[in-house]
Amino acid sequence: MIGRVALLLFPALVLAQEPSDSVTVTATRVERPLLEVPAALDRVHADELRFARPQVNLSESISRVPGIIVQNRQNYAQDLQVSSRGFGARASFGIRGIRLLADGIPASMPDGQGQASTFDLGSAERIEVLRGPFSVLHGNASGGVINVMTERGAREPGIAPSLALGSYGTTRAALKAGGLADSVDWRVNASRFRTDGYRQHSAARREQLNAKLTFGLGETTSLALVANGLDSPDTQDPLGLTRMQAEADPRQAVANAFTFDTRKSVRQQQAGATLTHRVGDTSVEGTLYAGHRDVRQFLAFAGAAPATTSGGVIDLDRDYGGAALRVSRRDTWLGKPLTLSLGGEHERMDERRKGFVNLNGQPGELRRDEDDVVTATGLYAQGEWRFAERWILLAGVRTNRVAFRSSDFYIAPGNPDDSGAKTYRRTTPVAGLTWRLAPATSLYVNAGRGFETPTFTELAYQNSGTGLNFALAASRSRHVEAGLKTVFAGGARLNVALFEIATRDEIVVDASSGGRTTFKNAGRTQRTGLEASAEGTLGAGFEALAALTLLDATFRDAFTSGATTVLAGNRLPGVPRGNLYAELRWRHAPSGFTAALEAQHRTRVAVNDLNTEFADAYTVTNLALGFEQRGRGWRVVEFLRIDNLADRRTIGSVIVNETNGRFYEPAPGRGYLVGVQARYALD
């Protein structure tokens, strides 16, 4: 009955639409109206990133994007766990399976591992989130692309201080400035965040700086310079809890966290430049970037045995960089508009990795000493052909080469030379077709193949013998998707996507002992899902948004993990079957008052391949209030935010396949954040 009513109403809705959609996107490499992109793609705008939010983690804002699951560990030593259509859910630290970009510059390393902590949300203009097979044009990732774009200084010229204070000793202070001087558009943002943490032994401090300068070098040429830095010293790691521990006291940390003083220090600096030049119908864009990252992490064990462990202290000294070149040209083919893009990218990471015994929180004897190098090279071509009035074909292909090399300098009795090399190659095609059913409604289909190599961490060891794990293959995926995008009169939007993904050689944990974890390929997995989002104004100052994700992600083949057998049909751990985010916002323009009510429901989540335990389903609600005043160049917003209004006990994140059964990382109970955001406009 519901389907029949929808079919009857749909033509009327189409007739009520606006004639066009002015939103453009860049995650597909060439800017296009959203309705013309045959892929699931969403944007999160600056107001949604910053209104009554601490502006520290992606989890604050991109939960509103369907298909994306962000599990906030409340553990700043391990970063967020972000997955797209189930890719990346298994990561025990950092983000994998998703390509991370900041102003078009990779925040993911060539092996596919990335960190979201380097994103500066305080100066972001928008975040673009692409899911599905078109992510393969960006390289070593199967799940999607997250691209954070820094705002231009001319957008809001002036200075903008902000201060927020919250529960658990949380503070964040920031100062942002920007403007347009002659032909130079500039934006600088500096921030300092600290917290005592919800759980014991979870204190953190993070200082960030992000700067972007854009030089206009004539009417057809521009140069953008980006520099950023992150300093996060001695961030404490409370580790996971067993179910019994989480139920007894979710704020506790296990004894090993105190015994070995588990913590991580990170310092990173990065700079990049992008030159864009246009000659007639041809545009050229070139990018260069380089960075340095230092990491020292104290793990929850000593790692003293020279023959079987790599130590309980990780020390990384990493240099990385890359270059990219893209040429695009607008032309015609058979009398119809055609846009072609050709490009290439090369990335390199050189890492000095050492391991030491953890002497109760102090570094001891050397247990690992190696030089690791990974390079990634990709060539791609992409074409868009408007072969009929309402039809658009977008297709592309990319060839990838990812090479790993490790030189081992720690050779001892029982621990021989582990040097070795491994290279992965893959060509990944993708194509999509868009039909403009009406001026503001599109139907699309797409299909493509994905490619995801192991990270250096996953490749480092094998169960017997020495050297890299040469038997570990890259996972390969086949994607198909169909979707609907429509814009109604008044700006309301509806997006729906159906997809199916079949993966071969899914990378899973094989064995874990003495601090060394080995990995293997699990055979075939299947992901089938639906994503839907709707947003718009309801009248009388009300706005609403809802984002729904339904995902069935399972192992299609049985496999062994250590001494146990994982059955075909088991769920992929870390992936909920359902996730719903909803927000209702009310603005009273005359008084400057805004109120927002947020709700999120997530179904239960398997914590291991065996599916012997699950994190329970939960529903949480949050309330945000803001009051804005303007006058004499100033704009001031005071805000109050209350998270988890009902003070429910929930598991914010799970550590997939944790060896000791400590799968659970509890989320905070009711928490408060109050603050002020100001801006003074410069003439």
Side-chain angles (χ1 to χ4, degrees), residues 191-258:
S191 64
R192 187 180 191 273
F193 165 80
R194 68 166 305 277
T195 181
D196 294 333
Y198 167 67
R199 295 175 56 197
Q200 297 176 357
H201 197 72
S202 63
R205 176 165 64 89
R206 184 184 294 176
E207 296 175 351
Q208 287 183 269
L209 176 69
N210 187 52
K212 182 177 181 180
L213 288 78
T214 303
F215 298 86
L217 305 177
E219 296 183 358
T220 60
T221 305
S222 65
L223 174 65
L225 303 179
V226 179
N228 50 65
L230 167 70
D231 187 18
S232 182
D234 293 325
T235 301
Q236 294 177 333
D237 185 351
L239 307 177
L241 302 176
T242 65
R243 174 177 283 276
M244 184 178 297
Q245 290 168 334
E247 291 175 349
D249 179 9
R251 301 192 66 175
Q252 68 175 301
V254 296
N256 279 9
F258 300 101

